[in-house]
Amino acid sequence: MSEFQRSRPALRLVQGTASEAVEWAWFCGHCAAPAPTDEAPAPTARVCRSCGLGLLLETRRDILPTDRDAFLVIDHAMLVQAVSRRAQTLLAVAEEKAINRPVAELVVPADAEAQSGTGFAAAIASAASGSEEPASAIVRPWNTFGVRMRARIAPCGPPRAALVVLQAPRERRLRAVD
Ligand SMILES: [Zn+2]
């Protein structure tokens, strides 16, 4: 059992959310393909069978991304560890160029003057360091003004990191139906 999984029950107890059990599921950090089963994959079987590139990660089922989602995986040092294909298009950056770069070089808070500017970073830091509660922030690509995206932030791992799922305004309208 990994460090990530071992720490979960304790966190639930502290937060007093045991009554509303959070469901978890596995997905590929590269292509978002779901794991074959809900069982934790063996440490030697963490490489995604669909793309052969990504590592299977666990996250809250209510934020689980699909292959149509733009998402990033950010570690506790605020460095990018994975970028989905859709996010590479949205942010105009290739994954290999994005890996190990600070997230602030790709995505920044949309209204630096309206928010403190720390909301997005704080939510990532919180998720990457153990908080199970999902958070959201309004962000924009670092090089584009006038584009506002909703970022949903939740823990994923192992190793423990923050999953950031971006929703472009157009997608938000479509999804408002469901
Ligand atoms: Zn994959």
Side-chain angles (χ1 to χ4, degrees), residues 42-119:
T44 50
R46 293 268 315 275
V47 175
C48 171
R49 285 188 212 164
S50 292
C51 68
L53 294 170
L55 208 59
L56 293 174
L57 298 170
E58 192 179 27
T59 193
R60 296 174 63 105
R61 193 182 289 281
D62 56 6
I63 197 177
L64 194 67
T66 72
D67 60 359
R68 296 185 308 270
D69 281 316
F71 66 87
L72 307 157
V73 175
I74 313 295
D75 70 12
H76 68 279
M78 307 299 284
L79 300 179
V80 174
Q81 295 306 318
V83 186
S84 75
R85 198 173 31 184
R86 190 67 175 269
Q88 294 176 58
T89 307
L90 192 67
L91 302 172
V93 65
E95 184 175 44
E96 55 269 28
K97 291 244 171 86
I99 297 297
N100 284 327
R101 270 172 62 183
V103 61
E105 291 184 7
L106 296 180
V107 181
V108 296
D111 303 306
E113 67 283 356
Q115 333 177 0
S116 61
T118 58

Side-chain angles (χ1 to χ4, degrees), residues 1-17 24 58 126-133 155-161:
M1 190 184 272
S2 72
E3 206 52 52
F4 180 72
Q5 292 168 309
R6 224 188 334 258
S7 64
R8 273 188 359 217
L11 285 169
R12 267 186 204 148
L13 214 59
V14 168
Q15 293 175 351
T17 51
W24 295 75
E58 192 179 27
S126 171
S129 66
S131 170
E132 291 194 354
E133 293 306 307
C156 71
R160 194 177 279 285

